[in-house]
Every structure is written in structure tokens, then in C-alpha cells.
């Protein structure tokens, strides 16, 4: 673990950037895929490709890939996995507010269990 | 819809797993890691890197198809089934060890995904898809 204060700030900054990119990327994908005006089959893919959401999602992931590599060069993979589990909760909360997804009790329990499980795997490595 | 989700998430898991396993093989066979053209040539001259590409592209199209109907919050959580499949395959392929905390984590992930599956089944059984658009 980095003990130097400036490195810790860099780790925190990269982590925050990763959460924003990961959550934002998923929301952009959902905005593209969930558009009911897009139709079906090949026409749906053409519709999505002609609008910015899909490309925002793809672009976000390309940048996230680089941020993740930089992040993992500063902390061990297991700690990265542990911190990354927060993204699952961030996507759940954002889906609730941006897409009105109902957070039924069973859904919240399921999502929190997956988050806990990923965190345990991160701690265990 | 139940079959759509079951088949979709299993296919997603398969593509994600292929990508991760391929990455591991590709990285191992291209050692040592260098910031050089020689390293890039080593990476792209062996077949595993293309397994990773196939995995990524397949996962992308599967994911965008799933998201047509699936709510993003539960779906993103369920996509982490990959963590379990990669862990189990790594024991066999890379001689990694299964520790008690890892097994515990995997069981908790699967339990969470079972809850998410039950949540969708329940919503459809009572004819109340929480995210169905008003017709």
C-alpha cells in the first residue's frame, strides 16, 4: 500500500474517476439499448449506432480501461476488485433515479449480496 | 422472458470468461511486459489475444441485447457471475487455489443472483413487470 500522501490522493482520484466512468458508461448503454423507438433486429443496431449514447458508452469504457491500468499499477488487484464492488451499488442507485427502476426488496437484497460477494473475493485474494 | 434472461446471462458469462482467460494466457505468453513495439508484436502474434477480442465483441452484443429489456441496476449486478466462473476455471487452468474466503464470496454472489432471478420471476408471475413501459 502506498503510504505517501500524494500517491494516496492519486489513488483516490483514479478510483473516483473509475466509478464515474463505469457508472456513466453503463447508464449510456442502457439509454441506448432501452430506447423503445429503436425497433428490432438490424434496424435497432443502425438506430443505436446513429445516436450518441452507444458511442458515449464505448468511449467511456476505452478511457476506463486506461484509468484501470493506471489504478492497478498503484494498488494490488485484490484491493482494486474490493473498491470496484462499489460500482454495483452506484449503478443501482443511478438506475433508480435516471430510469425509474423499482428497487423491490428482493432486487436490493440480490444486488447487495452480489456487491458483498465481490468485496469478499477482493479481500480474499 | 425468463428464457431470454437465462440464456442471455449465461451467454454473457461465457463471453466474459473467454475474454478474461484469454487475457491471462495472452499476457503470460508475451512476457516480459515492456513498453515497446516488440512486446506489442509478441502480444498480437499469438492466438489468445484474438480470443480476448472475440470475448469482448460477443459480450458487447449480448449485453446490448439484454439491456433492451433488463433494468440496468439488477442486470449489472448479475453480470458479475463472471467472477465465479473465472475463479472456478482458474483452479483448473492456472492451478490457482480455492481458499475458504473465495468460496464464501462466490457463494454470496450466486445467492445474490438467485435473488435477482426470483425478483424477475415474481414480477412476471403477478403480471407486474416493475419496469414495463406503459403501453
Amino acid at each position: 500500500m502506498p503510504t505517501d500522501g500524494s500517491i494516496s490522493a492519486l489513488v483516490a482520484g483514479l478510483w473516483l474517476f473509475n466509478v464515474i466512468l463505469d457508472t456513466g458508461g453503463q447508464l449510456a448503454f442502457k439509454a441506448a439499448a432501452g430506447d423503445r423507438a429503436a425497433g428490432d433486429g438490424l434496424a435497432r443496431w443502425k438506430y443505436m449506432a446513429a445516436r450518441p449514447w452507444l458511442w458515449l458508452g464505448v468511449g467511456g469504457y476505452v478511457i476506463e480501461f486506461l484509468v484501470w491500468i493506471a489504478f492497478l499499477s498503484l494498488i494490488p488487484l485484490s484491493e482494486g476488485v474490493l473498491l470496484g464492488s462499489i460500482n454495483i451499488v452506484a449503478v443501482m442507485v443511478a438506475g433508480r433515479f435516471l430510469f425509474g427502476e423499482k428497487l423491490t426488496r428482493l432486487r436490493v437484497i440480490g444486488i447487495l449480496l452480489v456487491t458483498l460477494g465481490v468485496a469478499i473475493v477482493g479481500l480474499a485474494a | 422472458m425468463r428464457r431470454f434472461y437465462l440464456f442471455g446471462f449465461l451467454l454473457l458469462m461465457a463471453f466474459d470468461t473467454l475474454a478474461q482467460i484469454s487475457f491471462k494466457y495472452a499476457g503470460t505468453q508475451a512476457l516480459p511486459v515492456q513498453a515497446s513495439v516488440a512486446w506489442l508484436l509478441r502480444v498480437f502474434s499469438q492466438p489468445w489475444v484474438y480470443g480476448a477480442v472475440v470475448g469482448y465483441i460477443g459480450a458487447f452484443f449480448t449485453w446490448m441485447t439484454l439491456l433492451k429489456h433488463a433494468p440496468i441496476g439488477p442486470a449489472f449486478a448479475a453480470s458479475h457471475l463472471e467472477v465465479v466462473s473465472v475463479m472456478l476455471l482458474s483452479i483448473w487452468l492456472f492451478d490457482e487455489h480455492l481458499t475458504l474466503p473465495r468460496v464464501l464470496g462466490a457463494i454470496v454472489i450466486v445467492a445474490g443472483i438467485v435473488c435477482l432471478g426470483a425478483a424477475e420471476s415474481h414480477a412476471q408471475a403477478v403480471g407486474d413487470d416493475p419496469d414495463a413501459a406503459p403501453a
Side-chain angles (χ1 to χ4, degrees), chain A residues 78-88 111-125, chain B residues 76-77 79-84 87 101 104-106 108-110 113:
Chain A
S78 56
E79 286 170 34
V81 171
L82 176 65
L83 291 172
S85 65
I86 296 297
N87 296 6
I88 303 172
I111 291 169
L112 291 182
L113 279 175
V114 172
T115 307
L116 178 68
V118 172
I120 292 173
V121 170
L123 279 170
Chain B
F76 185 61
S79 71
H80 288 75
L81 187 57
E82 163 207 21
V83 174
V84 178
M87 182 190 297
L104 185 66
V108 173
I109 290 172
V110 171
I113 290 169

PDB file of all heavy atoms in Angstrom, chain A residues 78-88 111-125, chain B residues 76-77 79-84 87 101 104-106 108-110 113:
ATOM      1  N   SER A  78      -6.329  -7.224  -5.852  1.00  0.00           N
ATOM      2  CA  SER A  78      -7.383  -7.600  -4.910  1.00  0.00           C
ATOM      3  C   SER A  78      -8.058  -6.364  -4.321  1.00  0.00           C
ATOM      4  O   SER A  78      -9.282  -6.316  -4.184  1.00  0.00           O
ATOM      5  CB  SER A  78      -6.810  -8.469  -3.797  1.00  0.00           C
ATOM      6  OG  SER A  78      -5.754  -7.800  -3.153  1.00  0.00           O
ATOM      7  N   GLU A  79      -7.255  -5.335  -4.002  1.00  0.00           N
ATOM      8  CA  GLU A  79      -7.844  -4.110  -3.460  1.00  0.00           C
ATOM      9  C   GLU A  79      -8.640  -3.373  -4.529  1.00  0.00           C
ATOM     10  O   GLU A  79      -9.650  -2.724  -4.240  1.00  0.00           O
ATOM     11  CB  GLU A  79      -6.756  -3.197  -2.884  1.00  0.00           C
ATOM     12  CG  GLU A  79      -6.216  -3.720  -1.566  1.00  0.00           C
ATOM     13  CD  GLU A  79      -4.979  -2.972  -1.093  1.00  0.00           C
ATOM     14  OE1 GLU A  79      -4.895  -1.761  -1.343  1.00  0.00           O
ATOM     15  OE2 GLU A  79      -4.099  -3.613  -0.495  1.00  0.00           O
ATOM     16  N   GLY A  80      -8.180  -3.490  -5.775  1.00  0.00           N
ATOM     17  CA  GLY A  80      -8.921  -2.893  -6.884  1.00  0.00           C
ATOM     18  C   GLY A  80     -10.288  -3.523  -7.034  1.00  0.00           C
ATOM     19  O   GLY A  80     -11.293  -2.827  -7.216  1.00  0.00           O
ATOM     20  N   VAL A  81     -10.347  -4.865  -6.926  1.00  0.00           N
ATOM     21  CA  VAL A  81     -11.617  -5.585  -7.026  1.00  0.00           C
ATOM     22  C   VAL A  81     -12.537  -5.171  -5.880  1.00  0.00           C
ATOM     23  O   VAL A  81     -13.728  -4.927  -6.063  1.00  0.00           O
ATOM     24  CB  VAL A  81     -11.377  -7.115  -7.001  1.00  0.00           C
ATOM     25  CG1 VAL A  81     -12.690  -7.868  -6.880  1.00  0.00           C
ATOM     26  CG2 VAL A  81     -10.643  -7.548  -8.266  1.00  0.00           C
ATOM     27  N   LEU A  82     -11.950  -5.059  -4.672  1.00  0.00           N
ATOM     28  CA  LEU A  82     -12.719  -4.661  -3.493  1.00  0.00           C
ATOM     29  C   LEU A  82     -13.346  -3.278  -3.705  1.00  0.00           C
ATOM     30  O   LEU A  82     -14.545  -3.077  -3.501  1.00  0.00           O
ATOM     31  CB  LEU A  82     -11.792  -4.643  -2.273  1.00  0.00           C
ATOM     32  CG  LEU A  82     -12.384  -4.167  -0.953  1.00  0.00           C
ATOM     33  CD1 LEU A  82     -13.472  -5.121  -0.491  1.00  0.00           C
ATOM     34  CD2 LEU A  82     -11.295  -4.089   0.114  1.00  0.00           C
ATOM     35  N   LEU A  83     -12.536  -2.312  -4.138  1.00  0.00           N
ATOM     36  CA  LEU A  83     -13.043  -0.949  -4.348  1.00  0.00           C
ATOM     37  C   LEU A  83     -14.032  -0.906  -5.517  1.00  0.00           C
ATOM     38  O   LEU A  83     -14.991  -0.146  -5.496  1.00  0.00           O
ATOM     39  CB  LEU A  83     -11.875   0.011  -4.610  1.00  0.00           C
ATOM     40  CG  LEU A  83     -10.977   0.275  -3.402  1.00  0.00           C
ATOM     41  CD1 LEU A  83      -9.745   1.074  -3.803  1.00  0.00           C
ATOM     42  CD2 LEU A  83     -11.741   1.025  -2.321  1.00  0.00           C
ATOM     43  N   GLY A  84     -13.798  -1.764  -6.524  1.00  0.00           N
ATOM     44  CA  GLY A  84     -14.678  -1.786  -7.692  1.00  0.00           C
ATOM     45  C   GLY A  84     -16.082  -2.284  -7.382  1.00  0.00           C
ATOM     46  O   GLY A  84     -17.021  -2.021  -8.136  1.00  0.00           O
ATOM     47  N   SER A  85     -16.237  -3.011  -6.268  1.00  0.00           N
ATOM     48  CA  SER A  85     -17.557  -3.540  -5.931  1.00  0.00           C
ATOM     49  C   SER A  85     -18.560  -2.409  -5.674  1.00  0.00           C
ATOM     50  O   SER A  85     -19.764  -2.588  -5.836  1.00  0.00           O
ATOM     51  CB  SER A  85     -17.474  -4.470  -4.717  1.00  0.00           C
ATOM     52  OG  SER A  85     -17.083  -3.753  -3.567  1.00  0.00           O
ATOM     53  N   ILE A  86     -18.033  -1.232  -5.289  1.00  0.00           N
ATOM     54  CA  ILE A  86     -18.900  -0.068  -5.044  1.00  0.00           C
ATOM     55  C   ILE A  86     -19.665   0.324  -6.311  1.00  0.00           C
ATOM     56  O   ILE A  86     -20.786   0.837  -6.252  1.00  0.00           O
ATOM     57  CB  ILE A  86     -18.045   1.132  -4.555  1.00  0.00           C
ATOM     58  CG1 ILE A  86     -17.397   0.795  -3.208  1.00  0.00           C
ATOM     59  CG2 ILE A  86     -18.887   2.391  -4.415  1.00  0.00           C
ATOM     60  CD1 ILE A  86     -18.371   0.539  -2.085  1.00  0.00           C
ATOM     61  N   ASN A  87     -19.064   0.068  -7.478  1.00  0.00           N
ATOM     62  CA  ASN A  87     -19.709   0.426  -8.745  1.00  0.00           C
ATOM     63  C   ASN A  87     -21.090  -0.208  -8.873  1.00  0.00           C
ATOM     64  O   ASN A  87     -21.987   0.357  -9.495  1.00  0.00           O
ATOM     65  CB  ASN A  87     -18.836   0.003  -9.936  1.00  0.00           C
ATOM     66  CG  ASN A  87     -17.506   0.733  -9.965  1.00  0.00           C
ATOM     67  OD1 ASN A  87     -17.178   1.473  -9.052  1.00  0.00           O
ATOM     68  ND2 ASN A  87     -16.732   0.510 -11.006  1.00  0.00           N
ATOM     69  N   ILE A  88     -21.247  -1.417  -8.323  1.00  0.00           N
ATOM     70  CA  ILE A  88     -22.526  -2.130  -8.440  1.00  0.00           C
ATOM     71  C   ILE A  88     -23.631  -1.344  -7.746  1.00  0.00           C
ATOM     72  O   ILE A  88     -24.735  -1.185  -8.274  1.00  0.00           O
ATOM     73  CB  ILE A  88     -22.407  -3.550  -7.844  1.00  0.00           C
ATOM     74  CG1 ILE A  88     -21.275  -4.325  -8.539  1.00  0.00           C
ATOM     75  CG2 ILE A  88     -23.723  -4.297  -7.985  1.00  0.00           C
ATOM     76  CD1 ILE A  88     -20.955  -5.664  -7.884  1.00  0.00           C
ATOM     77  N   ILE A 111     -28.821  -7.404  -5.185  1.00  0.00           N
ATOM     78  CA  ILE A 111     -27.721  -6.526  -5.606  1.00  0.00           C
ATOM     79  C   ILE A 111     -26.694  -6.372  -4.478  1.00  0.00           C
ATOM     80  O   ILE A 111     -25.480  -6.425  -4.717  1.00  0.00           O
ATOM     81  CB  ILE A 111     -28.265  -5.155  -6.060  1.00  0.00           C
ATOM     82  CG1 ILE A 111     -29.042  -5.324  -7.381  1.00  0.00           C
ATOM     83  CG2 ILE A 111     -27.132  -4.138  -6.230  1.00  0.00           C
ATOM     84  CD1 ILE A 111     -29.836  -4.107  -7.800  1.00  0.00           C
ATOM     85  N   LEU A 112     -27.183  -6.195  -3.233  1.00  0.00           N
ATOM     86  CA  LEU A 112     -26.248  -6.028  -2.107  1.00  0.00           C
ATOM     87  C   LEU A 112     -25.464  -7.320  -1.845  1.00  0.00           C
ATOM     88  O   LEU A 112     -24.284  -7.269  -1.486  1.00  0.00           O
ATOM     89  CB  LEU A 112     -27.000  -5.575  -0.847  1.00  0.00           C
ATOM     90  CG  LEU A 112     -27.565  -4.148  -0.923  1.00  0.00           C
ATOM     91  CD1 LEU A 112     -28.243  -3.764   0.393  1.00  0.00           C
ATOM     92  CD2 LEU A 112     -26.480  -3.125  -1.272  1.00  0.00           C
ATOM     93  N   LEU A 113     -26.109  -8.480  -2.040  1.00  0.00           N
ATOM     94  CA  LEU A 113     -25.386  -9.745  -1.862  1.00  0.00           C
ATOM     95  C   LEU A 113     -24.267  -9.885  -2.902  1.00  0.00           C
ATOM     96  O   LEU A 113     -23.153 -10.297  -2.574  1.00  0.00           O
ATOM     97  CB  LEU A 113     -26.351 -10.938  -1.965  1.00  0.00           C
ATOM     98  CG  LEU A 113     -27.163 -11.278  -0.708  1.00  0.00           C
ATOM     99  CD1 LEU A 113     -28.157 -12.399  -1.002  1.00  0.00           C
ATOM    100  CD2 LEU A 113     -26.243 -11.678   0.444  1.00  0.00           C
ATOM    101  N   VAL A 114     -24.561  -9.547  -4.166  1.00  0.00           N
ATOM    102  CA  VAL A 114     -23.523  -9.629  -5.204  1.00  0.00           C
ATOM    103  C   VAL A 114     -22.364  -8.685  -4.854  1.00  0.00           C
ATOM    104  O   VAL A 114     -21.186  -9.060  -4.948  1.00  0.00           O
ATOM    105  CB  VAL A 114     -24.095  -9.287  -6.598  1.00  0.00           C
ATOM    106  CG1 VAL A 114     -22.969  -9.187  -7.626  1.00  0.00           C
ATOM    107  CG2 VAL A 114     -25.110 -10.339  -7.044  1.00  0.00           C
ATOM    108  N   THR A 115     -22.707  -7.462  -4.405  1.00  0.00           N
ATOM    109  CA  THR A 115     -21.671  -6.492  -4.018  1.00  0.00           C
ATOM    110  C   THR A 115     -20.805  -7.044  -2.889  1.00  0.00           C
ATOM    111  O   THR A 115     -19.573  -6.986  -2.953  1.00  0.00           O
ATOM    112  CB  THR A 115     -22.329  -5.170  -3.556  1.00  0.00           C
ATOM    113  OG1 THR A 115     -23.232  -4.727  -4.572  1.00  0.00           O
ATOM    114  CG2 THR A 115     -21.281  -4.095  -3.305  1.00  0.00           C
ATOM    115  N   LEU A 116     -21.469  -7.602  -1.883  1.00  0.00           N
ATOM    116  CA  LEU A 116     -20.749  -8.187  -0.741  1.00  0.00           C
ATOM    117  C   LEU A 116     -19.850  -9.332  -1.209  1.00  0.00           C
ATOM    118  O   LEU A 116     -18.683  -9.426  -0.800  1.00  0.00           O
ATOM    119  CB  LEU A 116     -21.759  -8.682   0.303  1.00  0.00           C
ATOM    120  CG  LEU A 116     -21.179  -9.361   1.551  1.00  0.00           C
ATOM    121  CD1 LEU A 116     -20.419  -8.352   2.400  1.00  0.00           C
ATOM    122  CD2 LEU A 116     -22.282 -10.025   2.378  1.00  0.00           C
ATOM    123  N   GLY A 117     -20.393 -10.182  -2.084  1.00  0.00           N
ATOM    124  CA  GLY A 117     -19.620 -11.321  -2.575  1.00  0.00           C
ATOM    125  C   GLY A 117     -18.372 -10.884  -3.328  1.00  0.00           C
ATOM    126  O   GLY A 117     -17.286 -11.437  -3.131  1.00  0.00           O
ATOM    127  N   VAL A 118     -18.520  -9.878  -4.205  1.00  0.00           N
ATOM    128  CA  VAL A 118     -17.363  -9.371  -4.957  1.00  0.00           C
ATOM    129  C   VAL A 118     -16.338  -8.771  -3.989  1.00  0.00           C
ATOM    130  O   VAL A 118     -15.127  -8.979  -4.132  1.00  0.00           O
ATOM    131  CB  VAL A 118     -17.807  -8.330  -6.010  1.00  0.00           C
ATOM    132  CG1 VAL A 118     -16.604  -7.665  -6.663  1.00  0.00           C
ATOM    133  CG2 VAL A 118     -18.672  -8.990  -7.086  1.00  0.00           C
ATOM    134  N   ALA A 119     -16.817  -8.061  -2.956  1.00  0.00           N
ATOM    135  CA  ALA A 119     -15.910  -7.471  -1.964  1.00  0.00           C
ATOM    136  C   ALA A 119     -15.156  -8.567  -1.200  1.00  0.00           C
ATOM    137  O   ALA A 119     -13.952  -8.440  -0.955  1.00  0.00           O
ATOM    138  CB  ALA A 119     -16.699  -6.585  -1.002  1.00  0.00           C
ATOM    139  N   ILE A 120     -15.862  -9.641  -0.859  1.00  0.00           N
ATOM    140  CA  ILE A 120     -15.213 -10.748  -0.131  1.00  0.00           C
ATOM    141  C   ILE A 120     -14.126 -11.385  -1.003  1.00  0.00           C
ATOM    142  O   ILE A 120     -13.016 -11.666  -0.534  1.00  0.00           O
ATOM    143  CB  ILE A 120     -16.256 -11.820   0.296  1.00  0.00           C
ATOM    144  CG1 ILE A 120     -17.186 -11.250   1.366  1.00  0.00           C
ATOM    145  CG2 ILE A 120     -15.554 -13.074   0.830  1.00  0.00           C
ATOM    146  CD1 ILE A 120     -18.345 -12.166   1.722  1.00  0.00           C
ATOM    147  N   VAL A 121     -14.448 -11.591  -2.300  1.00  0.00           N
ATOM    148  CA  VAL A 121     -13.452 -12.150  -3.214  1.00  0.00           C
ATOM    149  C   VAL A 121     -12.229 -11.238  -3.277  1.00  0.00           C
ATOM    150  O   VAL A 121     -11.081 -11.692  -3.286  1.00  0.00           O
ATOM    151  CB  VAL A 121     -14.058 -12.374  -4.620  1.00  0.00           C
ATOM    152  CG1 VAL A 121     -12.973 -12.726  -5.631  1.00  0.00           C
ATOM    153  CG2 VAL A 121     -15.108 -13.474  -4.579  1.00  0.00           C
ATOM    154  N   GLY A 122     -12.468  -9.912  -3.303  1.00  0.00           N
ATOM    155  CA  GLY A 122     -11.368  -8.942  -3.328  1.00  0.00           C
ATOM    156  C   GLY A 122     -10.515  -9.030  -2.071  1.00  0.00           C
ATOM    157  O   GLY A 122      -9.286  -9.018  -2.130  1.00  0.00           O
ATOM    158  N   LEU A 123     -11.192  -9.135  -0.921  1.00  0.00           N
ATOM    159  CA  LEU A 123     -10.474  -9.232   0.358  1.00  0.00           C
ATOM    160  C   LEU A 123      -9.686 -10.531   0.460  1.00  0.00           C
ATOM    161  O   LEU A 123      -8.633 -10.583   1.070  1.00  0.00           O
ATOM    162  CB  LEU A 123     -11.482  -9.177   1.524  1.00  0.00           C
ATOM    163  CG  LEU A 123     -11.971  -7.799   1.942  1.00  0.00           C
ATOM    164  CD1 LEU A 123     -13.128  -7.928   2.919  1.00  0.00           C
ATOM    165  CD2 LEU A 123     -10.833  -7.017   2.573  1.00  0.00           C
ATOM    166  N   ALA A 124     -10.231 -11.586  -0.191  1.00  0.00           N
ATOM    167  CA  ALA A 124      -9.658 -12.919  -0.016  1.00  0.00           C
ATOM    168  C   ALA A 124      -8.398 -13.128  -0.846  1.00  0.00           C
ATOM    169  O   ALA A 124      -7.560 -13.947  -0.505  1.00  0.00           O
ATOM    170  CB  ALA A 124     -10.696 -13.977  -0.399  1.00  0.00           C
ATOM    171  N   ALA A 125      -8.280 -12.412  -1.957  1.00  0.00           N
ATOM    172  CA  ALA A 125      -7.176 -12.681  -2.890  1.00  0.00           C
ATOM    173  C   ALA A 125      -5.827 -12.335  -2.286  1.00  0.00           C
ATOM    174  O   ALA A 125      -5.736 -11.563  -1.351  1.00  0.00           O
ATOM    175  CB  ALA A 125      -7.390 -11.925  -4.186  1.00  0.00           C
TER     176      ALA A 125
ATOM    177  N   PHE B  76     -26.557  -5.248 -14.087  1.00  0.00           N
ATOM    178  CA  PHE B  76     -25.127  -5.026 -13.884  1.00  0.00           C
ATOM    179  C   PHE B  76     -24.616  -5.904 -12.737  1.00  0.00           C
ATOM    180  O   PHE B  76     -23.527  -6.481 -12.820  1.00  0.00           O
ATOM    181  CB  PHE B  76     -24.858  -3.548 -13.609  1.00  0.00           C
ATOM    182  CG  PHE B  76     -23.403  -3.210 -13.494  1.00  0.00           C
ATOM    183  CD1 PHE B  76     -22.544  -3.420 -14.564  1.00  0.00           C
ATOM    184  CD2 PHE B  76     -22.887  -2.668 -12.326  1.00  0.00           C
ATOM    185  CE1 PHE B  76     -21.191  -3.108 -14.460  1.00  0.00           C
ATOM    186  CE2 PHE B  76     -21.536  -2.356 -12.220  1.00  0.00           C
ATOM    187  CZ  PHE B  76     -20.695  -2.576 -13.284  1.00  0.00           C
ATOM    188  N   ALA B  77     -25.422  -6.024 -11.680  1.00  0.00           N
ATOM    189  CA  ALA B  77     -25.033  -6.899 -10.569  1.00  0.00           C
ATOM    190  C   ALA B  77     -24.927  -8.349 -11.057  1.00  0.00           C
ATOM    191  O   ALA B  77     -23.941  -9.042 -10.792  1.00  0.00           O
ATOM    192  CB  ALA B  77     -26.045  -6.782  -9.427  1.00  0.00           C
ATOM    193  N   SER B  79     -24.304  -9.496 -13.935  1.00  0.00           N
ATOM    194  CA  SER B  79     -23.189  -9.728 -14.862  1.00  0.00           C
ATOM    195  C   SER B  79     -21.916 -10.143 -14.119  1.00  0.00           C
ATOM    196  O   SER B  79     -20.971 -10.626 -14.741  1.00  0.00           O
ATOM    197  CB  SER B  79     -22.933  -8.489 -15.724  1.00  0.00           C
ATOM    198  OG  SER B  79     -22.362  -7.449 -14.956  1.00  0.00           O
ATOM    199  N   HIS B  80     -21.878  -9.966 -12.800  1.00  0.00           N
ATOM    200  CA  HIS B  80     -20.701 -10.354 -12.025  1.00  0.00           C
ATOM    201  C   HIS B  80     -20.622 -11.855 -11.760  1.00  0.00           C
ATOM    202  O   HIS B  80     -19.726 -12.306 -11.045  1.00  0.00           O
ATOM    203  CB  HIS B  80     -20.638  -9.566 -10.715  1.00  0.00           C
ATOM    204  CG  HIS B  80     -20.262  -8.131 -10.921  1.00  0.00           C
ATOM    205  ND1 HIS B  80     -21.150  -7.206 -11.432  1.00  0.00           N
ATOM    206  CD2 HIS B  80     -19.092  -7.463 -10.748  1.00  0.00           C
ATOM    207  CE1 HIS B  80     -20.542  -6.037 -11.539  1.00  0.00           C
ATOM    208  NE2 HIS B  80     -19.294  -6.164 -11.136  1.00  0.00           N
ATOM    209  N   LEU B  81     -21.539 -12.626 -12.347  1.00  0.00           N
ATOM    210  CA  LEU B  81     -21.426 -14.081 -12.308  1.00  0.00           C
ATOM    211  C   LEU B  81     -20.081 -14.513 -12.899  1.00  0.00           C
ATOM    212  O   LEU B  81     -19.517 -15.552 -12.545  1.00  0.00           O
ATOM    213  CB  LEU B  81     -22.582 -14.699 -13.118  1.00  0.00           C
ATOM    214  CG  LEU B  81     -22.743 -16.216 -13.082  1.00  0.00           C
ATOM    215  CD1 LEU B  81     -22.895 -16.721 -11.655  1.00  0.00           C
ATOM    216  CD2 LEU B  81     -23.949 -16.639 -13.922  1.00  0.00           C
ATOM    217  N   GLU B  82     -19.555 -13.685 -13.770  1.00  0.00           N
ATOM    218  CA  GLU B  82     -18.235 -13.908 -14.389  1.00  0.00           C
ATOM    219  C   GLU B  82     -17.141 -14.129 -13.338  1.00  0.00           C
ATOM    220  O   GLU B  82     -16.223 -14.935 -13.542  1.00  0.00           O
ATOM    221  CB  GLU B  82     -17.922 -12.686 -15.255  1.00  0.00           C
ATOM    222  CG  GLU B  82     -16.500 -12.541 -15.646  1.00  0.00           C
ATOM    223  CD  GLU B  82     -16.110 -11.091 -15.896  1.00  0.00           C
ATOM    224  OE1 GLU B  82     -16.802 -10.173 -15.389  1.00  0.00           O
ATOM    225  OE2 GLU B  82     -15.132 -10.879 -16.576  1.00  0.00           O
ATOM    226  N   VAL B  83     -17.222 -13.416 -12.227  1.00  0.00           N
ATOM    227  CA  VAL B  83     -16.214 -13.546 -11.165  1.00  0.00           C
ATOM    228  C   VAL B  83     -16.137 -15.004 -10.698  1.00  0.00           C
ATOM    229  O   VAL B  83     -15.052 -15.556 -10.491  1.00  0.00           O
ATOM    230  CB  VAL B  83     -16.550 -12.605  -9.975  1.00  0.00           C
ATOM    231  CG1 VAL B  83     -15.599 -12.842  -8.808  1.00  0.00           C
ATOM    232  CG2 VAL B  83     -16.497 -11.153 -10.414  1.00  0.00           C
ATOM    233  N   VAL B  84     -17.302 -15.627 -10.566  1.00  0.00           N
ATOM    234  CA  VAL B  84     -17.367 -17.010 -10.090  1.00  0.00           C
ATOM    235  C   VAL B  84     -16.824 -17.977 -11.149  1.00  0.00           C
ATOM    236  O   VAL B  84     -16.017 -18.867 -10.843  1.00  0.00           O
ATOM    237  CB  VAL B  84     -18.818 -17.386  -9.710  1.00  0.00           C
ATOM    238  CG1 VAL B  84     -18.896 -18.842  -9.266  1.00  0.00           C
ATOM    239  CG2 VAL B  84     -19.331 -16.466  -8.619  1.00  0.00           C
ATOM    240  N   MET B  87     -13.079 -17.701 -11.494  1.00  0.00           N
ATOM    241  CA  MET B  87     -12.428 -18.276 -10.316  1.00  0.00           C
ATOM    242  C   MET B  87     -12.351 -19.808 -10.426  1.00  0.00           C
ATOM    243  O   MET B  87     -11.296 -20.415 -10.212  1.00  0.00           O
ATOM    244  CB  MET B  87     -13.228 -17.901  -9.061  1.00  0.00           C
ATOM    245  CG  MET B  87     -12.624 -18.396  -7.764  1.00  0.00           C
ATOM    246  SD  MET B  87     -13.760 -18.182  -6.380  1.00  0.00           S
ATOM    247  CE  MET B  87     -13.920 -16.415  -6.357  1.00  0.00           C
ATOM    248  N   PRO B 101     -12.298 -18.027   2.043  1.00  0.00           N
ATOM    249  CA  PRO B 101     -12.947 -16.736   1.759  1.00  0.00           C
ATOM    250  C   PRO B 101     -13.410 -16.615   0.302  1.00  0.00           C
ATOM    251  O   PRO B 101     -14.469 -16.047   0.027  1.00  0.00           O
ATOM    252  CB  PRO B 101     -11.847 -15.716   2.065  1.00  0.00           C
ATOM    253  CG  PRO B 101     -10.919 -16.401   2.983  1.00  0.00           C
ATOM    254  CD  PRO B 101     -10.946 -17.848   2.599  1.00  0.00           C
ATOM    255  N   LEU B 104     -16.549 -18.580  -0.068  1.00  0.00           N
ATOM    256  CA  LEU B 104     -17.616 -17.827   0.596  1.00  0.00           C
ATOM    257  C   LEU B 104     -18.106 -16.683  -0.310  1.00  0.00           C
ATOM    258  O   LEU B 104     -19.314 -16.503  -0.511  1.00  0.00           O
ATOM    259  CB  LEU B 104     -17.099 -17.267   1.926  1.00  0.00           C
ATOM    260  CG  LEU B 104     -18.124 -16.555   2.810  1.00  0.00           C
ATOM    261  CD1 LEU B 104     -19.162 -17.554   3.311  1.00  0.00           C
ATOM    262  CD2 LEU B 104     -17.430 -15.879   3.996  1.00  0.00           C
ATOM    263  N   GLY B 105     -17.166 -15.934  -0.865  1.00  0.00           N
ATOM    264  CA  GLY B 105     -17.526 -14.838  -1.765  1.00  0.00           C
ATOM    265  C   GLY B 105     -18.320 -15.325  -2.960  1.00  0.00           C
ATOM    266  O   GLY B 105     -19.337 -14.727  -3.335  1.00  0.00           O
ATOM    267  N   ALA B 106     -17.879 -16.443  -3.546  1.00  0.00           N
ATOM    268  CA  ALA B 106     -18.567 -16.998  -4.716  1.00  0.00           C
ATOM    269  C   ALA B 106     -19.988 -17.415  -4.359  1.00  0.00           C
ATOM    270  O   ALA B 106     -20.936 -17.154  -5.117  1.00  0.00           O
ATOM    271  CB  ALA B 106     -17.784 -18.194  -5.262  1.00  0.00           C
ATOM    272  N   VAL B 108     -21.863 -16.186  -1.954  1.00  0.00           N
ATOM    273  CA  VAL B 108     -22.676 -14.989  -1.710  1.00  0.00           C
ATOM    274  C   VAL B 108     -23.087 -14.342  -3.047  1.00  0.00           C
ATOM    275  O   VAL B 108     -24.229 -13.899  -3.208  1.00  0.00           O
ATOM    276  CB  VAL B 108     -21.909 -13.985  -0.819  1.00  0.00           C
ATOM    277  CG1 VAL B 108     -22.667 -12.666  -0.688  1.00  0.00           C
ATOM    278  CG2 VAL B 108     -21.672 -14.577   0.565  1.00  0.00           C
ATOM    279  N   ILE B 109     -22.169 -14.329  -4.032  1.00  0.00           N
ATOM    280  CA  ILE B 109     -22.507 -13.785  -5.353  1.00  0.00           C
ATOM    281  C   ILE B 109     -23.639 -14.591  -5.990  1.00  0.00           C
ATOM    282  O   ILE B 109     -24.633 -14.038  -6.473  1.00  0.00           O
ATOM    283  CB  ILE B 109     -21.267 -13.787  -6.284  1.00  0.00           C
ATOM    284  CG1 ILE B 109     -20.249 -12.756  -5.807  1.00  0.00           C
ATOM    285  CG2 ILE B 109     -21.687 -13.470  -7.734  1.00  0.00           C
ATOM    286  CD1 ILE B 109     -18.920 -12.818  -6.557  1.00  0.00           C
ATOM    287  N   VAL B 110     -23.503 -15.919  -5.968  1.00  0.00           N
ATOM    288  CA  VAL B 110     -24.535 -16.778  -6.574  1.00  0.00           C
ATOM    289  C   VAL B 110     -25.868 -16.608  -5.841  1.00  0.00           C
ATOM    290  O   VAL B 110     -26.932 -16.509  -6.485  1.00  0.00           O
ATOM    291  CB  VAL B 110     -24.086 -18.262  -6.561  1.00  0.00           C
ATOM    292  CG1 VAL B 110     -25.230 -19.173  -6.985  1.00  0.00           C
ATOM    293  CG2 VAL B 110     -22.889 -18.452  -7.488  1.00  0.00           C
ATOM    294  N   ILE B 113     -27.504 -13.498  -7.091  1.00  0.00           N
ATOM    295  CA  ILE B 113     -28.058 -13.636  -8.443  1.00  0.00           C
ATOM    296  C   ILE B 113     -29.334 -14.483  -8.414  1.00  0.00           C
ATOM    297  O   ILE B 113     -30.286 -14.202  -9.152  1.00  0.00           O
ATOM    298  CB  ILE B 113     -26.983 -14.215  -9.393  1.00  0.00           C
ATOM    299  CG1 ILE B 113     -25.900 -13.147  -9.608  1.00  0.00           C
ATOM    300  CG2 ILE B 113     -27.608 -14.627 -10.732  1.00  0.00           C
ATOM    301  CD1 ILE B 113     -24.660 -13.644 -10.301  1.00  0.00           C
TER     302      ILE B 113
END
